[in-house]
């Protein structure tokens, strides 16, 4: 994933990216270098990533969110993390990262079937 993300980051004119990694063996560790590459796509306006049914536990979600937050032109963002092992505590730094996308007009986040409880939801998106 890291090399793949790095290569995508070289696509200087890329405005729309849609990738589906559903049902693989991707972990949170893979998200950081992949997100680093995505964060280099300065002209990206629309991003859809599907990571459903993988092995993501969430420890690296904050770093991933920060990298996505570097996409200053992003207006449409859809991230699908359905059926992983993400906990609520990892949503706060993730939300802070994607919250830097000041031009967002459309946002869809899918976290169904994870290990998220309500205790952290009050902090999600407030910082």
């Amino acid at each position: 994933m890291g090399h793949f993300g790095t290569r995508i980051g070289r696509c200087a004119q890329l405005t729309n990216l849609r990738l589906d990694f559903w049902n693989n063996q991707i972990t949170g560790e893979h998200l950081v270098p992949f997100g680093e590459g995505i964060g280099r796509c300065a002209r990206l306006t629309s991003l859809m990533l599907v990571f459903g049914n993988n092995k993501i536990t969430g420890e690296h979600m904050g770093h991933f969110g920060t990298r996505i937050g570097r996409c200053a032109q992003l207006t449409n963002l859809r991230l699908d993390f359905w059926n992983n092992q993400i906990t609520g505590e990892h949503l706060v730094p993730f939300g802070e990262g994607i919250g830097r996308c000041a031009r967002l007009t459309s946002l869809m986040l899918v976290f169904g079937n994870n290990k998220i409880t309500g205790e952290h939801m009050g902090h999600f998106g407030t910082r």
Side-chain angles (χ1 to χ4, degrees):
M1 291 277 307
H3 295 296
F4 182 67
T6 300
R7 307 264 186 313
I8 286 176
R10 294 179 184 167
C11 299
Q13 302 302 314
L14 190 65
T15 60
N16 186 359
L17 179 61
R18 181 178 180 165
L19 296 171
D20 189 333
F21 296 104
W22 190 83
N23 200 30
N24 285 284
Q25 301 294 314
I26 296 169
T27 67
E29 293 174 353
H30 298 117
L31 292 180
V32 176
F34 179 74
E36 186 69 38
I38 298 292
R40 290 189 183 126
C41 297
R43 295 189 180 201
L44 200 60
T45 60
S46 181
L47 177 62
M48 177 182 165
L49 300 174
V50 178
F51 290 107
N53 208 39
N54 277 284
K55 308 288 183 198
I56 299 168
T57 56
E59 298 91 84
H60 300 89
M61 293 293 290
H63 297 292
F64 183 69
T66 299
R67 272 42 173 208
I68 297 298
R70 292 180 182 165
C71 298
Q73 302 300 314
L74 206 57
T75 60
N76 182 24
L77 177 61
R78 179 178 179 197
L79 301 173
D80 185 336
F81 291 99
W82 183 83
N83 198 34
N84 282 279
Q85 288 90 45
I86 299 167
T87 62
E89 66 186 298
H90 301 112
L91 293 182
V92 175
F94 171 78
E96 289 174 356
I98 63 170
R100 292 186 180 103
C101 298
R103 295 185 180 205
L104 273 183
T105 58
S106 178
L107 174 64
M108 180 176 180
L109 302 173
V110 178
F111 287 104
N113 206 35
N114 276 280
K115 299 182 185 283
I116 299 169
T117 62
E119 66 184 292
H120 294 97
M121 292 308 294
H123 300 289
F124 183 67
T126 60
R127 294 184 189 175

